[in-house]
Amino acid sequence: MTPIERLLRDQIALGGPVSVAEYMRLCLGHPEYGYYIRRDPLGQGGDFTTAPEISQMFGEMVGLWLASVWRQLDLDGPRLVELGPGRGTLMADALRALRSFGMEPSDVWFVETSPALRAQQHARVPGAQWAEMLEGVPDGPALILANEFFDALPVRQYLHSPEGWRERRVGVIDDRLAWGLSQPLPMTPEAESWCEHSAEADTIARQIAGRMGAHGGAALLIDYGYRQADRPSGPTLQALRNQRPADPLEQPGEADLTWLIDFDWLAAQFPDTQCHHAEQGAFLAGLGMGARAAALAKAQPDQAGAIADALERLTSPAQMGTLFKVLAVTPPGPPPPGF
Ligand code: SAH
């Protein structure tokens, strides 16, 4: 039994079944045993890999996007902020691209809770500064990035049943962790409109919107998700261990847990700004990733196969090209590149 499961069973014995959000908070963020707190799960040999870890081209395209929005908004050496930066690879690659245009941000801030990952980020982006929450980043115009961040925040799940909305919970049945449902909940506007709701995601999206309104800047939010037209019918929580789907209730604290982001909900959190939607493949292609791949392959012919594979993995609809969505939030004006 994992230490997290022991803690969880004690908690359930005392206070009854817990919400999916409480379960995620414990598995991912427990200060001693949490999945993200103790280890670096990313990369080819880890439990899961992310776009920046697949190829330097991903961060370079994001760097190009930042350069172009920086010029479009005529920002003065803005601050770069990244939420949940993992190993710091995206920021390192984006900074290299920016510097190739002679552009240097005033400073770089990471919002990160994991000490293990902060160490990785420090190695790749020396000079970066850290905050536990976005509120800890000093005021001022900022360009804000987040890749696969929102999907790791604790989410509550509600299932619609004939008796009303019931919240999905984790309890113990026959001495095993098991899914269950709460008694029907009184209708609330939240539960009426959403099957999944993350208070943390709400708060952070509103903080980004508040910052942009008060100080200017833009945000680029990339995640595994969907638009309302393709809304999944069931709850979307999933676990990955050793690059394979796993049972989210097995070995709690030893697997990555994520859910799918509703990008129409996300955009609705930014009422006073302009939201631009794209799928990851179209976004990267629009920024010129095909040409970048060709140039890299020409410079390193022995790597041509790996570069072509990475391009395919990041952009093809069969892989990450359409499953991953991109939301750019900007002040009113022409659409930024890639949209
Ligand atoms: N963006 C990276 C890593 C994605 S994994 C990449 O694309 O490779 C999720 C990241 O979010 C990790 O760095 C994790 O430690 C961080 N994280 C998770 N919950 C967080 C929270 N509540 N506050 C800040 N960071 C968090």
Side-chain angles (χ1 to χ4, degrees), residues 220-267:
L220 187 69
L221 312 175
I222 307 172
D223 232 307
Y224 196 27
Y226 60 90
R227 302 293 305 272
Q228 272 297 303
D230 304 312
R231 188 162 190 228
S233 53
T236 68
L237 188 75
Q238 54 186 23
L240 273 184
R241 193 166 54 238
N242 299 326
Q243 320 255 358
R244 295 224 178 83
D247 179 340
L249 296 187
E250 223 164 71
Q251 295 199 283
E254 303 294 319
D256 185 39
L257 296 176
T258 57
W259 50 292
L260 294 182
I261 301 300
D262 172 350
F263 271 72
D264 289 298
W265 161 80
L266 188 59

Side-chain angles (χ1 to χ4, degrees), residues 75 78-79 81 106 137-144 211-212 214-217:
L75 298 170
R79 168 168 296 134
V81 180
S106 61
V137 177
D139 289 345
L143 295 173
I144 300 174
R211 269 194 87 97
M212 286 183 52
H215 308 288

